[in-house]
Amino acid sequence: MEYLVSHYNYWVYILLMMVGLYAMLAKNNLIKKVIGMSIFQTAIIVFYVSTGAKREASIPIIAHGHGHDAAHTVIEAAHYANPLPHVLMLTAIVVSVGTLGVALAICLGIYRRYKTLEEDEIQEQLHDSL
Amino acid sequence: MILYEQSPALLVVIPLLSAFAINIFGLYNRRLCFPIAFLALAATLGAATMTLARVLQAGPISYRLGGWPPPFGIEYVIDHLNGLVLVTIAFVSFLAVIFAKLSVEKELPDKIPQFYTLFVLLVTGLLGMTATGDAFNLYVLLEIAALTGYALIALGDNRALVASFNYVILGTIGASFYLLGVGHLYIMTGSLNMGDLLTILPGLYATRAIFVAFLLVLCGVWLKMAFFPLHTWLPNAYTYAPSAVGCLVAPLVTKVSVYIMIRVMLSVFSSHYVFEVLALTGPIVWLAVAAIIFGSIQALAQDNLKKMLTYLIVAEVGYMVGGVWLATGYGISGAILHIVNDALMTFCLFVFAGIVTYKTGGHMLSDLQGLYRKMPVTMTGFTVVALSMIGVPPTAGFFSKWYLILGAIEAGSYHFMVALLVSSLVNAILFFRIIEITFFEPKMDHHTGHAPEITINEAPFSMLMPLLVVALGLIIIGIYSGTIVTNIIQHSVPGGLL
Amino acid sequence: MIWQIDLSVLSLIVLCGFATIMVKDLLSAAIIFGAYSFLMCLLWTEMGAVDVAFTEASVGAGVSTILFIAAAYQTTRIVKPRKSGRIFAKIVALAASVAMGLVLLAAQTNFPGFADPESPASLHLSPYYITQTLADTAVPNMVTSVLADYRGFDTMFETAVIFTAGLAVIAILRRVKHIDRCELPDPYTISAGSQDNIIRFVSRQLVPFMQLFALYVVAHGHHSPGGGFQGGVILGASFILLAITYDIQLVQQRMNEKWNILLGNIGVLIYASIGFICLLLGANFLDYSMLSKILPATDPVMARSHGMLGIEIGVAIAVMAIVVTIYLNLASNGKLDKGL
């Protein structure tokens, strides 16, 4: 039970990554592949944020922290969650939405040209044109 | 002097700021885009050269961004290895933009501002990846280079969109594996700085998590460099991209990924861990042999010039990965020297393909007929590059192959040596076949009854100049290979292997 | 950190993940993906990552969902079943996923327990950030100080990434000549004629509050969850709301393509220029303490705080412009005439 509580986060992220990778490689529809890509990337974010979680710790913002009178309150690291993974994941979320935009633009371009979003139909059209 | 001290930061900041300048001015006047890009990349080449000179004079540089000491802030660490790669990137991209001017005006006339902006941003990403000493910063710059690459490749016509989509999926898997590997390192050590990780990791070498971290980073980087069998995105993506894009991405993106592999192997996990604790050198060298053989055979089977060149890239990546994993001094030196040489050779070959496309409109091998008479200067340059690819002294290609073969003998990996020799043979067949085609005159014209006139219709100067400069450079680098290896590359090889 | 809530939210997330892959309708897949993202937000809040939750809510759940819907609108809703067998591809994909899963499972046996305060990540770098943020930068929100100051270089490139994405969408979708007419195979109207007076009225009332809140988020990012990205996305979302409820033309009248590109550039330029000014003043790139030389009556610590505010404003402007651009181009397939 102890082991379950301390490790289930990691099992879930591994499961989500497997779902995402399978969708990216096996699915026929291009937009489903893109959805799989998003799931893959958010699974990694689950992993990173889990590294930053701390039992009995508060959010990483120091309350009553305006001005210089905060200097006499003692700030203990154990009271606040770890801010570094949060920063890294802010970057990762923005990067993943950027990649999503580019991938969807390419999908639209492909649909405009081939009139289909299914990979096997596109391959057929490519083979026919050779 | 500000420029001198700040050169590590400047070589990334200059292209970044100029990308926005290109985009803003491009809204008003498209003709300003090329001059700004030209000046920016020239300045970047200057900054990169100055940085390398500093490293040669005074040893590795550590530059603190934001003024924060590592590991709390992000750090740029420039030593001999990435100083050399930085100069290569700046040099090739400067010449690529010169080539791009006419090519883009013909192939992408309505997208000129976007092209140059994406071009310069790609160069920024590559330079930043090479200069950084922070594992997560590398990921962000990897994504900049990747996104610009996806967009630039998708600008081609024909099958470029499908090829680019495939690249997006596989490239994202690669980058995400790298990110996950860094995450594993972080959760076990708490640090992201490469130097810091090097000191913390030795206590953790026996754990599975660190082994998996290494595997994840390795697989991610292998996907990015198109190492067999993860190469499937490369041939289509580079064949159908616009010519100017091919001249930039083909020489540089895969080589920078090889650099990242070397950097992670030697400066994050130490050479002791990679070569001695893990028992992977044997299987990976076999994979490299498979990459070389596969790339060479596939290249033989193509009748599309550009696709043939892309399979040659797959083989060349096999040289470099195998060279590093031979785990000997000669092998690693040969691999690092080959990064520089292969960047220059691939650049020349893609410029040649670009010239052929510009002049004849196609890039099949049959379009090369009669080129020998029509474009003698271009063919001279091409012949030099061909000799370098085959490995004929005194061109640079011979020396890097020589070091690699010495490394193979030193390590006892005779199968790698055989693969290198087979590849040289195949390259000889390929390139002599091309040169033979260019000697052929086109057939008689049936309507007029006599052979068409062959007049000299040489490539324009702005396209010819990069080809010739680099061809000359290959000879010069070949002659000075010994100096380069002793003064620059030897410093990067880990001490126990020399 | 109540693990029962954690576990149930995670299970729902996995369910949504499976569902979004398996449904046969792209619009449903997009909506379920939106639910997946919102559940992720809940998870982050519960784990104490409020800034990440805020960003995921605005960027992940908000913008990603609407981009998927726009893409589904411009292409097709229906996912056709595979024509030929192609069992081989499925087997390879399954094998690859399972192999990766097993490798990762082997790794996690060494991981420190979830939420362990003694884990290496919690003991190595982060205590410095937590204890020193007020002394070094006078900013109570540690995530903002790490994001904008200690690791500000990463953030600059992250803004460049979103800029690149916007530029790439324009470059890929814009076709000046030979426009292939794209007929929509399934008739698809979300709003028809004058029946949406209620929607239009309500959204018109909402927009100024959204924008005011977005400006608050940008300005107050130092003291509460928020910052440049979240504020910029909310600002962009206010325009997207107008574009959905009315028409793309309405948004084009107020913020045309040229202004979008200009603002996107100016935003990132503000960021890079602040760093460059610091370089010219003699310090390293992005060392804001040097700004105390040119800003009146500030010491180096407050100069860092002001520098951070400056770059957050730059980020907000850039992100707003780019998010609007990406949506407008995707929803109209590059032609910018009519959209959702």
Side-chain angles (χ1 to χ4, degrees):
Chain A
M1 195 56 186
E2 188 54 45
Y3 193 71
L4 171 75
V5 173
S6 62
H7 280 256
Y8 63 79
N9 256 66
Y10 306 129
W11 300 342
V12 168
Y13 105 82
I14 294 175
L15 187 60
L16 281 174
M17 281 195 69
M18 287 168 61
V19 169
L21 186 67
Y22 179 77
M24 270 199 275
L25 296 178
K27 282 286 166 183
N28 208 14
N29 185 299
L30 296 184
I31 295 196
K32 281 293 174 82
K33 285 188 194 246
V34 175
I35 293 181
M37 182 174 85
S38 280
I39 295 182
F40 194 68
Q41 289 173 317
T42 47
I44 298 181
I45 300 177
V46 171
F47 169 67
Y48 264 90
V49 176
S50 313
T51 59
K54 237 188 247 184
R55 215 171 292 130
E56 281 143 43
S58 166
I59 59 175
I61 300 179
I62 300 177
H64 319 296
H66 332 287
H68 298 284
D69 49 74
H72 51 253
T73 49
V74 175
I75 306 168
E76 278 207 34
H79 291 167
Y80 299 98
N82 185 353
L84 187 58
H86 302 175
V87 171
L88 305 178
M89 287 307 103
L90 273 175
T91 308
I93 292 177
V94 172
V95 164
S96 74
V97 96
T99 317
L100 178 75
V102 175
L104 286 177
I106 297 180
C107 283
L108 255 60
I110 291 180
Y111 187 78
R112 190 195 269 163
R113 185 183 202 94
Y114 297 101
K115 302 290 183 286
T116 172
L117 276 181
E118 308 292 324
E119 197 183 12
D120 50 8
E121 290 176 17
I122 298 174
Q123 294 292 343
E124 257 179 45
Q125 292 189 26
L126 288 177
H127 279 296
D128 291 338
S129 68
L130 268 176
Chain B
M1 197 358 217
I2 281 193
L3 257 130
Y4 188 72
E5 275 168 20
Q6 306 289 341
S7 58
L10 280 177
L11 57 83
V12 170
V13 170
I14 293 176
L16 184 68
L17 288 174
S18 58
F20 303 120
I22 294 176
N23 209 0
I24 293 182
F25 289 118
L27 279 178
Y28 299 106
N29 183 357
R30 289 191 335 192
R31 304 230 301 248
L32 289 173
C33 296
F34 174 74
I36 302 178
F38 179 84
L39 289 170
L41 288 175
T44 314
L45 181 59
T49 323
M50 205 185 308
T51 314
L52 181 62
R54 265 182 79 184
V55 172
L56 288 175
Q57 209 176 34
I61 309 173
S62 163
Y63 182 88
R64 302 174 172 185
L65 287 149
W68 297 108
F72 303 114
I74 298 178
E75 180 189 26
Y76 266 10
V77 178
I78 320 270
D79 59 5
H80 295 89
L81 175 62
N82 53 3
L84 186 63
V85 179
L86 283 170
V87 171
T88 314
I89 298 174
F91 183 61
V92 170
S93 49
F94 177 60
L95 291 176
V97 86
I98 296 179
F99 170 79
K101 177 171 191 297
L102 285 177
S103 172
V104 171
E105 279 168 22
K106 187 168 189 205
E107 285 182 29
L108 302 169
D110 47 341
K111 303 214 174 158
I112 291 186
Q114 290 97 338
F115 172 83
Y116 281 109
T117 316
L118 289 169
F119 192 96
V120 176
L121 278 172
L122 177 57
V123 177
T124 316
L126 292 171
L127 289 168
M129 265 200 269
T130 315
T132 188
D134 182 282
F136 190 77
N137 190 240
L138 206 153
Y139 169 73
V140 181
L141 284 157
L142 188 69
E143 286 288 13
I144 288 196
L147 274 180
T148 46
Y150 305 150
L152 281 171
I153 291 178
L155 289 179
D157 57 310
N158 228 350
R159 307 166 64 166
L161 281 172
V162 180
S164 184
F165 184 80
N166 217 13
Y167 185 20
V168 169
I169 297 290
L170 290 174
T172 309
I173 296 180
S176 304
F177 274 165
Y178 175 82
L179 181 62
L180 194 59
V182 172
H184 278 64
L185 288 175
Y186 178 70
I187 198 176
M188 298 299 289
T189 64
S191 179
L192 292 168
N193 182 285
M194 290 185 188
D196 202 25
L197 283 169
L198 188 62
T199 50
I200 302 179
L201 279 175
L204 297 166
Y205 281 161
T207 55
R208 275 183 229 139
I210 298 301
F211 176 54
V212 169
F214 181 68
L215 273 183
L216 284 170
V217 170
L218 199 65
C219 285
V221 175
W222 278 354
L223 256 170
K224 284 285 180 182
M225 70 170 83
F227 182 58
F228 180 86
L230 301 169
H231 67 284
T232 47
W233 58 268
L234 187 112
N236 281 339
Y238 287 2
T239 308
Y240 300 115
S243 324
V245 171
C247 294
L248 182 69
V249 285
L252 293 179
V253 172
T254 44
K255 315 302 169 290
V256 171
S257 308
V258 174
Y259 157 79
I260 296 176
M261 181 182 77
I262 299 178
R263 173 63 73 201
V264 167
M265 279 166 67
L266 298 181
S267 306
V268 177
F269 304 87
S270 58
S271 65
H272 163 70
Y273 177 71
V274 169
F275 295 136
E276 290 158 33
V277 175
L278 304 176
L280 288 175
T281 48
I284 294 185
V285 173
W286 273 108
L287 257 183
V289 167
I292 299 175
I293 306 286
F294 173 80
S296 307
I297 294 183
Q298 283 282 35
L300 270 177
Q302 304 299 323
D303 54 357
N304 181 324
L305 173 67
K306 276 176 103 169
K307 215 170 217 181
M308 180 192 97
L309 295 177
T310 59
Y311 279 109
L312 286 178
I313 297 181
V314 173
E316 302 278 332
V317 168
Y319 287 18
M320 291 183 268
V321 174
V324 173
W325 281 90
L326 285 173
T328 65
Y330 278 121
I332 299 185
S333 312
I336 298 176
L337 185 61
H338 203 67
I339 291 181
V340 177
N341 290 345
D342 191 54
L344 296 174
M345 292 193 292
T346 314
F347 175 70
C348 272
L349 289 173
F350 272 82
V351 165
F352 175 72
I355 291 178
V356 168
T357 311
Y358 185 76
K359 281 292 182 187
T360 66
H363 44 80
M364 306 297 286
L365 285 181
S366 48
D367 291 318
L368 296 173
Q369 286 174 349
L371 240 50
Y372 191 75
R373 290 275 223 97
K374 282 196 234 162
M375 303 199 217
V377 187
T378 312
M379 287 312 298
T380 322
F382 177 76
T383 315
V384 173
V385 182
L387 291 175
S388 185
M389 286 289 286
I390 299 171
V392 174
T395 58
F398 167 75
F399 290 99
S400 47
K401 265 201 186 124
W402 177 243
Y403 277 105
L404 287 171
I405 291 181
L406 282 180
I409 298 178
E410 204 181 1
S413 306
Y414 294 102
H415 46 285
F416 190 65
M417 181 181 81
V418 167
L420 287 173
L421 294 172
V422 165
S423 164
S424 301
L425 189 63
V426 169
N427 283 355
I429 300 177
L430 278 172
F431 285 104
F432 281 135
R433 188 173 69 170
I434 294 184
I435 295 183
E436 191 187 15
I437 296 180
T438 59
F439 267 110
F440 269 138
E441 321 278 313
K443 295 212 170 29
M444 298 240 280
D445 191 353
H446 291 288
H447 294 284
T448 56
H450 38 259
E453 304 245 324
I454 309 288
T455 50
I456 295 203
N457 185 8
E458 191 53 81
F461 179 70
S462 74
M463 290 190 167
L464 200 48
M465 194 267 273
L467 179 67
L468 295 175
V469 165
V470 177
L472 189 64
L474 281 172
I475 300 181
I476 297 179
I477 290 183
I479 299 177
Y480 284 103
S481 288
T483 330
I484 295 180
V485 172
T486 27
N487 289 351
I488 306 181
I489 298 183
Q490 295 283 52
H491 296 272
S492 319
V493 179
L497 297 171
L498 276 170
Chain C
M1 194 57 49
I2 308 169
W3 68 268
Q4 290 89 340
I5 297 184
D6 222 20
L7 193 55
S8 31
V9 172
L10 278 172
S11 321
L12 280 173
I13 288 178
V14 172
L15 258 167
C16 282
F18 273 108
T20 187
I21 302 286
M22 294 190 332
V23 287
K24 294 273 181 269
D25 181 354
L26 278 181
L27 186 62
S28 315
I31 306 284
I32 299 179
F33 184 77
Y36 170 89
S37 294
F38 274 117
L39 284 168
M40 285 264 175
C41 292
L42 203 56
L43 187 68
W44 305 149
T45 320
E46 198 265 330
M47 281 195 204
V50 282
D51 265 280
V52 182
F54 204 147
T55 313
E56 176 78 29
S58 46
V59 167
V63 170
S64 297
T65 314
I66 196 65
L67 288 183
F68 272 121
I69 295 179
Y73 174 74
Q74 280 294 337
T75 55
T76 168
R77 266 178 88 162
I78 310 166
V79 178
K80 297 185 205 156
R82 212 183 263 270
K83 279 185 186 163
S84 45
R86 292 258 288 185
I87 297 291
F88 180 66
K90 285 196 176 172
I91 294 183
V92 167
L94 198 59
S97 314
V98 169
M100 178 187 73
L102 290 174
V103 168
L104 293 176
L105 270 173
Q108 60 92 35
T109 53
N110 291 129
F111 285 171
F114 176 54
D116 179 9
E118 305 283 316
S119 63
S122 302
L123 291 179
H124 186 48
L125 287 184
S126 57
Y128 178 84
Y129 294 134
I130 297 175
T131 48
Q132 296 293 85
T133 176
L134 279 180
D136 279 340
T137 61
V139 168
N141 185 346
M142 288 167 233
V143 174
T144 303
S145 69
V146 177
L147 184 78
D149 195 357
Y150 293 102
R151 295 190 71 96
F153 196 59
D154 265 348
T155 312
M156 182 176 80
F157 281 111
E158 171 194 352
T159 322
V161 165
I162 195 89
F163 171 77
T164 309
L167 191 63
V169 169
I170 296 178
I172 295 174
L173 285 180
R174 193 57 48 81
R175 293 263 190 278
V176 176
K177 319 182 230 314
H178 50 259
I179 299 175
D180 343 21
R181 290 268 147 233
C182 176
E183 314 91 38
L184 301 171
D186 10 285
Y188 205 130
T189 40
I190 292 194
S191 62
S194 59
Q195 285 143 342
D196 2 275
N197 279 335
I198 298 181
I199 298 179
R200 291 183 173 183
F201 178 76
V202 171
S203 66
R204 237 181 17 238
Q205 305 310 311
L206 271 178
V207 166
F209 291 104
M210 281 175 80
Q211 296 186 333
L212 200 58
F213 181 66
L215 292 174
Y216 162 80
V217 165
V218 175
H220 213 243
H222 288 200
H223 300 275
S224 68
F229 285 104
Q230 297 89 329
V233 172
I234 299 178
L235 269 176
S238 65
F239 288 106
I240 296 182
L241 181 64
L242 280 179
I244 296 178
T245 52
Y246 282 81
D247 202 350
I248 286 190
Q249 304 294 8
L250 186 77
V251 177
Q252 286 280 88
Q253 283 166 13
R254 276 150 179 68
M255 265 189 58
N256 58 17
E257 180 78 2
K258 209 170 211 186
W259 266 109
N260 267 332
I261 299 180
L262 263 178
L263 283 176
N265 278 296
I266 289 175
V268 197
L269 261 178
I270 292 179
Y271 199 142
S273 310
I274 291 182
F276 196 61
I277 293 175
C278 304
L279 193 138
L280 291 174
L281 286 173
N284 279 351
F285 187 64
L286 284 176
D287 191 352
Y288 308 128
S289 53
M290 280 292 140
L291 290 174
S292 60
K293 288 188 188 169
I294 52 174
L295 291 174
T298 45
D299 55 314
V301 173
M302 276 314 285
R304 285 193 181 273
S305 180
H306 294 320
M308 277 198 254
L309 186 62
I311 61 154
E312 295 272 16
I313 292 176
V315 167
I317 296 175
V319 171
M320 168 190 77
I322 297 296
V323 160
V324 173
T325 307
I326 295 183
Y327 172 75
L328 289 182
N329 276 297
L330 277 180
S332 62
N333 212 341
K335 292 186 284 240
L336 292 177
D337 45 9
K338 54 185 178 58
L340 270 178

